[in-house]
Every structure is written in structure tokens, then in C-alpha cells.
């Protein structure tokens, strides 16, 4: 069973009607960038818990989580209502294998995310460890609307910090937005628009692709990369080109 600790909320950032971030201080164990914790509240005498990835770097004591409010959900609306000083339970030990040590050597690491699944990549990039083995980094954030690109300013700051090594590309599926590609990630790979916008090839010889987010996006993108680019899932016993994590 998981060990739980009490955390204290220090900030709740309301990005849109349905998106928010919560920052917590809690005496957790050290985690690895890309991992997740569980948050919980007591609701009608029952502990209601859900898994959320860390957005912050492991070296940052401000534990940050990026959430979507599910209106009929048992937990997310209540987390959204918390204020600085409120208490929330956090698992002491993080979990998950969506971490860089599971990614094989390659020239270009592609990090593709939808919605709130941008979190693990922001943790990895803010920490900055184990990235020197990649020549290029590509961060792609796909959302429905431009207003949902909550962390675009941070992405742009990270791009400057990495001084040409990191390329960022936003994708918006339901409207045209300046600076963003329009459509779904699998289609943008299939017709070559994503590669053209980024300016780097997406192939099995030089690349590894991390996929995190909407399970349908993950499955469809994996299929496109398998059919078009001869990529296969990465397994410890059989190295490949794709590492994925479904976000619900």
C-alpha cells in the first residue's frame, strides 16, 4: 500500500474554465523527472485519489500538478476549489517509468503531448539531467484551442535556455492560431507538416519518440509511425523507437 503524507497547498493557478495547476509543499521522497504521484482528499468518509504527473523538476520543492477539471468528477472539482493553506494528501513515493533512463540513445528525441500530459516533459526539461546524450530535442504540445496552451511561456523560456538544442511546436486542433499547426498529430506526421514546421526528420534511424496523453492520440500516432516510418514500441528486452504513457 502507498504511504501518504499531508501536503499544504501554496498556489492554485486557474488557466481556463477547465484547466488549472495546483502547487503543494509536502515531505515526499525524491522522484525522477517524468514520474507521477497520487493526490487524494477525503470525500464523504472515503479517500478519493487520482494519479497526476509532476510538472516541477525533482530539485524544485514546489510540487506542481497540471489538471483538467472533470465537472462530474469526484476529485478534480474539489482540488480546483482548494486555496493556499488547504491540505491535500500526496503519495510519499512517486511511480512510473516514463523517464529518460528508459529511452535509448538517439540523435533527436521527440516529446509529443496532448493537453495536461505536457507535465512530464516540463519536469524533464526543467531538471535538465541526462539530456546531453541527445543532439536535438523537440517538444510538441497539442491542444484543442490556443487558450489551452497554458505553459507556452515556460516552453519558450526553456527553448531559450537550451540555446538552439530544443525546438518547440504547438498544435491546435479546433481553430487556426498564429504559430501553431492546425489538426491532429497523427495526420501532421502522415502528411509531413510536423517535420516541415520543426525542421528535423522523424525517422527510425535517428529518432526516438515519447508519446504522452490522450490514449487515442497515442494509439493513432504509434500506428502512423509504425506504418509510415517503420518504428516499433521500445521494450527493455527489444529496443525500439517509441515510448508511451496513456494519460487516463
Amino acid at each position: 500500500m502507498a504511504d501518504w503524507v499531508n501536503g499544504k497547498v501554496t498556489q492554485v493557478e486557474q488557466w481556463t474554465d477547465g484547466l488549472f495547476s495546483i502547487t503543494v509543499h509536502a515531505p515526499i521522497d525524491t522522484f525522477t523527472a517524468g514520474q507521477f504521484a497520487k493526490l487524494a482528499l477525503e470525500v464523504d468518509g472515503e479517500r478519493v485519489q487520482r494519479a497526476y504527473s509532476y510538472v516541477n523538476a525533482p530539485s524544485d520543492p514546489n510540487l506542481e500538478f497540471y489538471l483538467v477539471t472533470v465537472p462530474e468528477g469526484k476529485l478534480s472539482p474539489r482540488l480546483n476549489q482548494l486555496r493556499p493553506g488547504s491540505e491535500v494528501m500526496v503519495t510519499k513515493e512517486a511511480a512510473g517509468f516514463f523517464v529518460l533512463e528508459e529511452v535509448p540513445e538517439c540523435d533527436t528525441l521527440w516529446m509529443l503531448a496532448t493537453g495536461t500530459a505536457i507535465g512530464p516533459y516540463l519536469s524533464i526539461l526543467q531538471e535538465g539531467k541526462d539530456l546531453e546524450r541527445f543532439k536535438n530535442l523537440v517538444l510538441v504540445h497539442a491542444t484543442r484551442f490556443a487558450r489551452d496552451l497554458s505553459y507556452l511561456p515556460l516552453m519558450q523560456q526553456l527553448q531559450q535556455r537550451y540555446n538552439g538544442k530544443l525546438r518547440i511546436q504547438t498544435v491546435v486542433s479546433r481553430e487556426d492560431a498564429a504559430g501553431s499547426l492546425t489538426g491532429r498529430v497523427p495526420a501532421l506526421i502522415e502528411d509531413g507538416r510536423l517535420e516541415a514546421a520543426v525542421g528535423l526528420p522523424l525517422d527510425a534511424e535517428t529518432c526516438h519518440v515519447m508519446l504522452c496523453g490522450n490514449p487515442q492520440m497515442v494509439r493513432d500516432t504509434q500506428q502512423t509511425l509504425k506504418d509510415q516510418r517503420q518504428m516499433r514500441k521500445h521494450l527493455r528486452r527489444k529496443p525500439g523507437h517509441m515510448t508511451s504513457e496513456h494519460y487516463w
Side-chain angles (χ1 to χ4, degrees):
M1 289 184 63
D3 289 333
W4 293 86
V5 295
N6 287 325
K8 186 160 288 189
V9 176
T10 60
Q11 183 178 5
V12 178
E13 180 79 34
Q14 194 72 45
W15 299 107
T16 68
D17 288 345
L19 293 168
F20 70 100
S21 299
I22 183 170
T23 305
V24 179
H25 281 176
I28 62 164
D29 292 341
T30 301
F31 69 93
T32 301
Q35 289 190 304
F36 63 87
K38 290 183 179 179
L39 302 182
L41 293 172
E42 290 286 341
V43 180
D44 299 326
E46 173 192 2
R47 179 184 289 162
V48 179
Q49 62 188 47
R50 299 287 185 272
Y52 301 106
S53 293
Y54 286 105
V55 174
N56 60 290
S59 55
D60 186 348
N62 297 300
L63 310 179
E64 186 173 353
F65 305 92
Y66 184 35
L67 286 69
V68 59
T69 303
V70 180
E72 68 278 11
K74 283 189 174 182
L75 185 61
S76 60
R78 289 178 168 85
L79 290 173
N80 195 194
Q81 292 169 3
L82 297 179
R83 294 295 176 261
S86 300
E87 289 197 348
V88 61
M89 288 175 281
V90 186
T91 46
K92 187 174 183 181
E93 187 174 340
F97 297 98
F98 198 68
V99 296
L100 285 182
E101 65 185 55
E102 298 292 330
V103 174
E105 301 293 326
C106 65
D107 285 344
T108 303
L109 178 62
W110 289 75
M111 298 174 279
L112 311 183
T114 59
T116 56
I118 191 70
Y121 301 129
L122 295 176
S123 181
I124 288 168
L125 290 167
Q126 288 185 97
E127 185 70 357
K129 292 182 179 177
D130 199 27
L131 290 171
E132 63 281 349
R133 59 193 177 100
F134 307 110
K135 183 179 177 182
N136 303 299
L137 304 168
V138 180
L139 178 61
V140 178
H141 189 198
T143 62
R144 293 180 179 181
F145 301 100
R147 63 176 177 270
D148 300 330
L149 296 167
S150 310
Y151 284 93
L152 181 55
L154 176 56
M155 291 167 61
Q156 292 168 336
Q157 289 173 21
L158 288 166
Q159 188 177 32
Q160 292 181 342
R161 169 180 157 184
Y162 281 93
N163 196 26
K165 181 173 180 172
L166 171 64
R167 307 187 190 196
I168 63 173
Q169 181 60 54
T170 54
V171 176
V172 176
S173 63
R174 298 195 179 181
E175 64 181 0
D176 293 329
S180 296
L181 293 173
T182 305
R184 295 185 67 244
V185 170
L188 294 170
I189 293 173
E190 191 169 345
D191 64 17
R193 281 187 290 159
L194 182 58
E195 286 166 284
V198 171
L200 288 169
L202 178 51
D203 57 45
E205 288 73 33
T206 63
C207 302
H208 191 90
V209 182
M210 297 180 77
L211 295 155
C212 190
N214 182 311
Q216 193 65 53
M217 182 281 289
V218 172
R219 286 190 293 267
D220 291 349
T221 302
Q222 285 176 329
Q223 193 63 48
T224 297
L225 293 172
K226 178 183 176 183
D227 294 343
Q228 279 210 341
R229 313 300 167 98
Q230 292 72 55
M231 291 186 170
R232 61 179 180 270
K233 289 183 181 179
H234 176 66
L235 304 170
R236 284 180 176 177
R237 63 184 180 277
K238 188 177 180 182
H241 317 95
M242 299 182 288
T243 301
S244 65
E245 183 164 279
H246 292 185
Y247 226 57
W248 61 78

